[in-house]
Amino acid sequence: MPSLAPGGCSQHRTDSLLRLGLNPDKWDILVALAGNPNVGKSTVFNALTGLRQHTGNWPGKTIVRAEGAFAYENKRLKIVDLPGTYSLQAGSADEEVARDFILFGRPDVTVVVVDATRLERNLNLVLQILDITDRVVVYLNLVDEARRHGVAVDPQRLEQRLGVPVVSGVAREKVGIDDLLAAAYRVARGRQTTRPYRVERLTGSVEETVAALARTVADSFPSVPNARWVALRLLNADDAVVAAVRSGELGQLGGARPAEQDAPPPPQGARDQVLETARRLRWELPADFHDTLTERIFVAAREIAAAVGMQGLKRARFDIDRTMDRLLTNRWLGFPLMLAVLAVVFWLTIEGANVPSSMLAALLIEGVHPWLHGLGAAAGFPWWLSGFLFDGVYLATAWVVAVMLPPMAIFFPLFTLLEDFGYLPRVAFNLDALFRASGAHGKQALTMCMGFGCNAAGVVSTRVIDSPRERLIAIITNNFSLCNGRWPTQILIATIFIGALAPAHLAGVVSAAAVVGIALLGIITMFAVSWLLSRTVLRGEATSFSLELPPYRPPRVLQTLYTSIIDRTLIVLWRAVVFAVPAGAVIWLVSNIEVGGASLAQHGVAWLDPFGLLIGLNGVILLAYVVAIPANEIVIPTVLMLTVLTANVAGAGSGAGVMFELDSIEATGGLLRAGGWTLLTAVNLMLFSLLHNPCSTTIYTIYKETRSPGWTTLSALMPVAIGLTVCFLVTQVWRLVAA
Amino acid sequence: MAAFAILCLLLAALLWPERGLLPRWLQILRLSERVRLEDALKHVFACRQAGQACSVDSLAGHLAVSSGEAAALMSRLAGMGLMRMESDGPVLTQEGARSAVRIVRIHRLWERYLADRTGVPARKWHDQAERMEHALSMEQADALDARLGRPVWDPHGDPIPDAAGGMPPAPGIGLAAATPGRAVEIVHLEDEPPEVYDALLNDGLDLGGRLEIVERSDRGIRVRSGGREWTLDPIAARNVNVRELPPDAADDRPWTTLRDVRPGETARVVEISHACQGPQRRRLLDLGVVRGAEIVPELVSAAGDPVAYSIQGALIALRRQQAAWIRVESDGAGTAPEVA
């Protein structure tokens, strides 16, 4: 009987678990949760742990491993939700994560979630997992949906065929979860022995090659339960398995019984012998070796699925699904419907955010800010301390929160609802042709839309793109989506300068058209840059396309609201606040530290002015973009404050380093004109607001997602270079035409 | 304005294709001494492998340099201890052979990389690999090897030497040596000279493809594949190596690809084209595109491409280019029998 005291595992296992980021002292039983994408794996996870982990109707959602803990029969269970994968051949990062965890983390039991409506496809993964470990429990999910399709799967017969416990249920309604837990517990504690199904042998000389290597492996590592699997992986030159053989760790892997887990590794000579044999035998394999292996697993899956009451189900789709798909991807209706949906989402976001935004501004800026000053005065703070803390740090943070929070809290849940319902994959499907032409992936349509909400969130959302090259393109070009933080700038400047060109009754339409034009320019730039990237620096990166269209599922509104606010809105907001605090401090300091009779800001503006004017902007704008890099939201307040500071406009603003906005648009316009702004400045500012470096939150996110300083630098600098060039050209042409 | 014009001119002078400073500089770099030495080493190695005569003249011809320069290259190699002259021409020393295998390894790995991971067309693989073989370090080559899943063969069917330098001989028999009437599988396509390789590609030959030898004559070898018959001239045939298949393996069904299957028809997978390799092939296999699997086109996207297929119960969108890789048999009736 295996001992399951905390830390009762071997030193080797403890080491590999620590390497995987898990501390084995914290639990008694380790459970891994595996399954294909989109089978309700995360729902099972939530049902087991009670934690509300976000479950998206998206293939490939869970790329960051989710973990949870709970107690059962006085034992502490740790459960790890692995990325959803179709296979364990370690072709993609997801598959590698899942495979490495099952192989090296050696969970006490692996629960494989299987979609009963697509048993055949799902068994492919189950059979691959059974090759690695025999401590497996299969959870047959969505049996209700299957029944509605007229498909009944017999769990008992499936259990007989697979040789591991099978529990059927409906995770969404928590049906069968108790049984699943009991079965997993039995297998983990070794109270139920399993006899896992193993895929049949190959034929002819290939089988001889594999068998020969398997014998060598079995001789060197007698404790390995499935030498054949190891042989196959070695013949596939699986680096992780090769390394495990070389180090001798292999002896403790797979379903090895704990008694054998601390057996000494075989001598170096024997291990080298295995690797040498594998190396030699690889020359003898036919070119289609890998194809044949995959095929045999599918053949076995088909045969098992047929035997347990399911034929190869060709059309596991509801009629209503078909009708919806026909409608949403229709040649004539597809695009108009899509535009309508997006327009509604944006309208709800912009209109809906107005009221809470001004309420927050009233509270945080007009209410709390003076109150803090009062508090500072009462406590006897010197002017510079309350200035630094309240006008600098606090005000920047308050501004970011007031402008950023409401639109995000509306946009993200709406987007998530569409995602959970299953509509977004259809959008990607419809738009793929457009993106393919520029060397990108159809799913970039979605990350781009997400970028309209927030570029940092857009960059994170590129995780749904599973091909490395296309994902990089999506990350680098996300900044060309005009984000929430930039919409107010665009609308304000367009209203003041461009709307004023038109007759009064058309002013609103004209300025709105100008803003939409800028957003469209962003989309065009995105396509152009994607095209360029895919033909230059990214030409050599790996590419592969696949897009699964999951069945439509009714979204769960309340849960979506809860999780999308937690998952997306608050995380992004937190990062923005973290970056806004030092920016507020810097803005206040440069405006108040004086050198040689002028503040640093005035020096900076004077120094940047010649270059600014050359490209049709001015020193104030450039300095504002430098110091307000953490958040686009504070660019306009900073510009106004700096304008007052440097142009010596009387009667506006609240002092050096205190950001402000004016209630009346006319007054703002007057102030800007007093600062020397012309129509050209306004046009260039609108262009530059679209085409400049991402905010520091986004840059940081890009670094976290790519883990590459090079790509991060490119993503940060390329848009600025484009922006400066465009502004310069526009200015030269403008002056030429005007003169 | 003037500043802008000057900037444009400067950029043009720097980057203009072939005549700009940067391309010229790259050209000079390519022809540097080391590159020529490595090329010479490779030439001698290849000649000896193929059992052909090797001399100063053959080297001069191969590198397109004068015989004087070729002789100078050889004596430098000899001076470096990589080569010695014998009665039948130059022979590589052990050290020389090791260096040559290293270059061959990088060359073939890079070809594999181009074939598997990029959209670079087959006729450009060799030239690009010729450049990369001098540019990559051994460590970089090992990293590439690992990333590619430690491939055994390059995309022309030549073995890729492993890190230790081991390498079996090129596989198969010449097309001319195959028995008439037998079905054969192409296991090697020589990529030099490029003109002949181009002709082979234009004939639709690819690695792993199947042919049936109809007859052999002085004018060439008559072959049949996919319902088409044509004659390969003797020179082209000499660049093709094949493996004879068991007598019952003849497969002359007409080529239909998934791309040609209309919505609602049921297609059964015959094979994935050998032009589709690497992660793309693995992804298709993992999605369930394996021999015998049934696929039904269900849904055409609003723009016409991609198309969503029902594969093993899931709805998977594939682009036209991917669908063209998948060879299928189709009932063509458009009335797929519903499976209960």
Side-chain angles (χ1 to χ4, degrees):
Chain A
M1 194 72 10
S3 87
L4 284 160
C9 44
S10 69
Q11 189 54 44
H12 245 303
R13 183 180 174 206
T14 310
D15 290 347
S16 26
L17 284 171
L18 286 172
R19 216 162 44 223
L20 289 162
L22 291 169
N23 182 354
D25 289 340
K26 300 254 172 77
W27 71 84
D28 306 317
I29 293 175
L30 179 60
V31 184
L33 194 60
N36 280 21
N38 213 44
V39 292
K41 205 160 53 67
S42 303
T43 318
V44 175
F45 181 85
N46 290 344
L48 285 173
T49 59
L51 183 91
R52 302 212 166 274
Q53 197 230 352
H54 177 67
T55 62
N57 194 1
W58 247 119
K61 184 70 178 239
T62 325
I63 292 182
V64 174
R65 202 177 58 199
E67 295 164 18
F70 59 99
Y72 184 78
E73 299 215 338
N74 292 326
K75 296 287 178 202
R76 291 168 302 165
L77 274 71
K78 170 87 164 182
I79 180 160
V80 175
D81 189 10
L82 300 176
T85 58
Y86 294 110
S87 114
L88 291 183
Q89 316 260 13
S92 70
D94 282 4
E95 289 166 13
E96 214 166 305
V97 168
R99 204 284 308 271
D100 284 356
F101 192 85
I102 297 176
L103 185 60
F104 298 109
R106 273 175 292 154
D108 297 296
V109 58
T110 301
V111 172
V112 191
V113 183
V114 164
D115 178 349
T117 62
R118 302 139 171 233
L119 185 59
E120 191 179 321
R121 156 175 299 276
N122 283 242
L123 281 177
N124 179 38
L125 179 70
V126 174
L127 294 177
Q128 291 186 34
I129 292 175
L130 288 181
D131 263 348
I132 302 180
T133 166
D134 46 10
R135 296 176 163 215
V136 173
V137 175
V138 172
Y139 180 69
L140 197 58
N141 194 15
L142 302 168
V143 286
D144 56 337
E145 213 172 280
R147 214 170 290 130
R148 266 175 286 166
H149 283 279
V151 176
V153 181
D154 184 345
Q156 269 89 44
R157 281 170 75 185
L158 187 58
E159 182 163 325
Q160 281 166 13
R161 294 302 300 251
L162 292 178
V164 297
V166 174
V167 178
S168 68
V170 183
R172 217 170 347 182
E173 285 151 25
K174 304 211 170 172
V175 178
I177 294 294
D178 291 340
D179 294 344
L180 171 65
L181 201 48
Y185 188 72
R186 280 200 309 276
V187 171
R189 306 261 349 222
R191 291 186 187 154
Q192 179 166 5
T193 43
T194 54
R195 302 168 51 101
Y197 179 95
R198 296 269 149 89
V199 175
E200 279 174 55
R201 290 158 185 281
L202 301 153
T203 49
S205 63
V206 185
E207 178 54 36
E208 283 163 29
T209 308
V210 175
L213 185 57
R215 273 195 302 278
T216 317
V217 171
D219 287 348
S220 302
F221 295 89
S223 64
V224 164
N226 196 353
R228 202 184 147 72
W229 181 79
V230 174
L232 287 174
R233 292 320 299 162
L234 287 176
L235 289 173
N236 261 318
D238 186 322
D239 276 348
V241 177
V242 169
V245 170
R246 187 169 291 132
S247 69
E249 191 190 358
L250 183 79
Q252 283 98 34
L253 296 183
R257 293 286 159 235
E260 294 152 1
Q261 281 184 351
D262 282 322
Q268 184 67 42
R271 289 182 257 152
D272 288 345
Q273 163 89 36
V274 170
L275 293 178
E276 178 53 35
T277 312
R279 213 162 55 90
R280 193 167 40 77
L281 289 176
R282 290 188 70 216
W283 300 109
E284 293 173 17
L285 293 174
D288 63 353
F289 178 62
H290 182 81
D291 293 23
T292 315
L293 282 181
T294 314
E295 198 179 296
R296 296 201 71 88
I297 298 173
F298 271 105
V299 169
R302 199 179 306 159
E303 192 258 323
I304 294 175
V308 299
M310 277 206 26
Q311 310 291 308
L313 192 71
K314 262 193 259 169
R315 296 243 299 259
R317 314 219 293 129
F318 288 126
D319 284 342
I320 186 154
D321 270 36
R322 291 175 147 259
T323 317
M324 297 230 346
D325 267 342
R326 293 259 152 87
L327 198 70
L328 293 176
T329 64
N330 182 280
R331 200 191 316 181
W332 306 109
L333 284 176
F335 289 123
L337 278 174
M338 186 186 73
L339 287 177
V341 169
L342 290 182
V344 168
V345 168
F346 284 124
W347 183 80
L348 283 176
T349 306
I350 293 175
E351 281 299 306
N354 269 342
V355 177
S357 257
S358 50
M359 279 167 61
L360 271 177
L363 175 71
L364 295 178
I365 295 163
E366 285 154 39
V368 175
H369 182 232
W371 177 78
L372 280 174
H373 264 293
L375 212 63
F381 279 13
W383 72 272
W384 53 265
L385 185 59
S386 46
F388 177 81
L389 286 180
F390 306 142
D391 296 340
V393 172
Y394 170 77
L395 208 51
T397 315
W399 221 293
V400 168
V401 171
V403 182
M404 201 167 175
L405 182 58
M408 288 209 306
I410 298 172
F411 183 80
F412 288 146
L414 284 177
F415 213 72
T416 314
L417 283 177
L418 287 176
E419 186 176 332
D420 283 359
F421 171 59
Y423 179 56
L424 294 191
R426 269 79 184 173
V427 171
F429 180 58
N430 279 336
L431 287 177
D432 181 65
L434 220 59
F435 283 87
R436 182 174 42 95
S438 58
H441 194 294
K443 286 181 195 167
Q444 192 175 326
L446 312 181
T447 65
M448 183 187 85
C449 287
M450 187 66 98
F452 282 118
C454 168
N455 294 132
V459 168
V460 173
S461 73
T462 60
R463 289 178 188 170
V464 299
I465 300 175
D466 45 15
S467 130
R469 184 176 91 137
E470 280 75 0
R471 176 155 184 245
L472 261 178
I473 293 180
I475 289 178
I476 297 172
T477 59
N478 195 275
N479 183 44
F480 297 118
S481 291
L482 197 63
C483 70
N484 255 324
R486 293 182 270 175
W487 284 97
T489 308
Q490 298 283 350
I491 294 170
L492 181 74
I493 301 297
T495 311
I496 295 173
F497 288 93
I498 298 188
L501 295 177
H505 64 281
L506 286 178
V509 182
V510 170
S511 48
V515 176
V516 172
I518 290 286
L520 285 179
L521 181 70
I523 295 178
I524 293 168
T525 315
M526 185 273 299
F527 276 117
V529 172
S530 300
W531 185 85
L532 247 151
L533 285 173
S534 66
R535 267 153 194 80
T536 54
V537 281
L538 284 173
R539 199 173 41 187
E541 290 290 320
T543 175
S544 70
F545 176 85
S546 73
L547 173 64
E548 184 180 351
L549 304 179
Y552 293 99
R553 296 203 172 121
R556 280 153 299 160
V557 178
L558 285 179
Q559 188 179 336
T560 302
L561 279 176
Y562 176 83
T563 51
S564 70
I565 287 180
I566 298 290
D567 279 3
R568 285 177 174 157
T569 314
L570 288 187
I571 286 175
V572 170
L573 188 71
W574 171 243
R575 271 194 199 171
V577 164
V578 167
F579 283 107
V581 166
V586 167
I587 291 172
W588 190 85
L589 288 176
V590 296
S591 315
N592 283 285
I593 296 179
E594 296 206 344
V595 178
S599 65
L600 285 178
Q602 281 160 323
H603 283 297
V605 168
W607 185 72
L608 285 169
D609 229 19
F611 180 68
L613 291 173
L614 179 73
I615 59 170
L617 295 169
N618 58 41
V620 167
I621 297 175
L622 290 182
L623 183 65
Y625 271 103
V626 173
V627 293
I629 188 180
N632 285 289
E633 284 81 356
I634 54 175
V635 165
I636 284 293
T638 311
V639 164
L640 292 177
M641 183 272 289
L642 288 174
T643 306
V644 172
L645 196 66
T646 54
N648 290 320
V649 181
S654 338
V658 189
M659 295 180 287
F660 66 95
E661 265 180 2
L662 295 167
D663 288 336
S664 113
I665 287 174
E666 288 78 35
T668 312
L671 176 58
L672 290 177
R673 287 198 181 89
W677 285 47
T678 62
L679 180 58
L680 175 64
T681 323
V683 169
N684 276 332
L685 174 65
M686 286 175 77
L687 289 170
F688 195 69
S689 156
L690 172 72
L691 304 170
H692 70 90
N693 54 288
C695 67
S696 48
T697 315
T698 306
I699 297 177
Y700 174 66
T701 310
I702 292 175
Y703 178 70
K704 279 197 72 170
E705 295 296 316
T706 59
R707 291 266 149 227
S708 146
W711 293 125
T712 311
T713 314
L714 179 75
S715 321
L717 294 185
M718 186 191 50
V720 194
I722 295 177
L724 293 178
T725 315
V726 166
C727 287
F728 175 74
L729 291 178
V730 165
T731 308
Q732 299 308 318
V733 172
W734 186 290
R735 286 181 184 156
L736 222 63
V737 172
Chain B
M1 207 59 225
F4 178 63
I6 290 170
L7 190 72
C8 285
L9 270 176
L10 276 176
L11 276 178
L14 195 66
L15 299 173
W16 199 273
E18 288 178 17
R19 296 194 176 184
L21 283 175
L22 197 65
R24 276 194 199 190
W25 181 67
L26 286 175
Q27 181 75 16
I28 291 166
L29 205 68
R30 264 204 292 281
L31 293 176
S32 73
E33 181 76 357
R34 186 173 69 92
V35 170
R36 277 193 291 183
L37 281 172
E38 289 185 354
D39 283 342
L41 209 55
K42 222 174 51 163
H43 172 71
V44 177
F45 180 74
C47 288
R48 290 289 165 188
Q49 282 260 308
Q52 291 163 358
C54 184
S55 64
V56 170
D57 291 336
S58 76
L59 180 64
H62 180 76
L63 294 183
V65 295
S66 71
S67 358
E69 278 174 289
L73 280 173
M74 282 202 173
S75 56
R76 274 210 56 192
L77 285 176
M80 289 159 83
L82 300 176
M83 195 171 84
R84 59 175 189 276
M85 294 305 276
E86 295 205 343
S87 53
D88 62 338
V91 178
L92 296 184
T93 63
Q94 217 171 25
E95 182 58 35
R98 211 174 296 139
S99 303
V101 170
R102 210 176 294 151
I103 302 166
V104 169
R105 169 172 159 82
I106 299 173
H107 181 101
R108 293 183 178 167
L109 270 176
W110 194 256
E111 288 188 329
R112 181 83 263 166
Y113 166 73
L114 291 175
D116 287 5
R117 302 292 173 108
T118 72
V120 175
R123 43 180 62 83
K124 291 193 177 165
W125 292 341
H126 181 76
D127 282 350
Q128 293 203 11
E130 281 287 296
R131 255 172 281 148
M132 287 313 288
E133 70 189 15
H134 308 297
L136 284 191
S137 72
M138 227 35 214
E139 291 71 37
Q140 287 170 316
D142 282 340
L144 183 66
D145 195 19
R147 242 182 86 193
L148 295 175
R150 309 221 177 264
V152 178
W153 306 101
D154 84 354
H156 306 295
D158 284 311
I160 301 173
D162 56 28
M167 170 170 77
I173 52 172
L175 187 59
T179 324
R182 282 292 283 273
V184 296
E185 182 190 337
I186 300 174
V187 293
H188 179 233
L189 282 179
E190 179 53 51
D191 57 349
E192 275 181 306
E195 294 76 18
V196 178
Y197 182 58
D198 262 6
L200 293 174
L201 291 178
N202 288 336
D203 269 339
L205 296 185
D206 65 13
L207 206 61
R210 288 179 178 200
L211 296 173
E212 197 186 326
I213 315 263
V214 182
E215 60 169 357
R216 235 173 13 208
S217 69
D218 294 343
R219 282 183 301 112
I221 298 173
R222 193 147 185 82
V223 293
R224 181 162 51 203
S225 176
R228 196 164 68 89
E229 237 186 77
W230 74 100
T231 305
L232 282 169
D233 69 59
I235 294 179
R238 220 171 42 201
N239 279 3
V240 181
N241 274 26
V242 296
R243 180 171 69 89
E244 290 191 349
L245 295 169
D248 58 341
D251 173 13
D252 207 32
R253 286 169 291 186
W255 284 89
T256 313
T257 68
L258 191 57
R259 195 167 78 166
D260 310 320
V261 181
R262 285 193 305 272
E265 291 179 9
T266 302
R268 190 169 285 105
V269 177
V270 177
E271 64 179 5
I272 303 176
S273 158
H274 296 273
C276 169
Q277 286 296 339
Q280 313 218 40
R281 186 184 194 87
R282 264 209 303 265
R283 172 60 51 80
L284 286 178
L285 289 168
D286 286 344
L287 288 174
V289 183
V290 293
R291 214 171 317 177
E294 287 190 349
I295 301 186
V296 184
E298 287 269 352
L299 208 61
V300 180
S301 85
D305 180 19
V307 172
Y309 300 89
S310 166
I311 306 174
Q312 315 260 14
L315 199 57
I316 310 277
L318 298 177
R319 289 174 172 173
R320 280 175 72 83
Q321 181 209 5
Q322 291 172 297
W325 280 327
I326 302 169
R327 188 182 165 200
V328 296
E329 290 175 307
S330 167
D331 56 11
T335 48
E338 298 281 295
V339 176

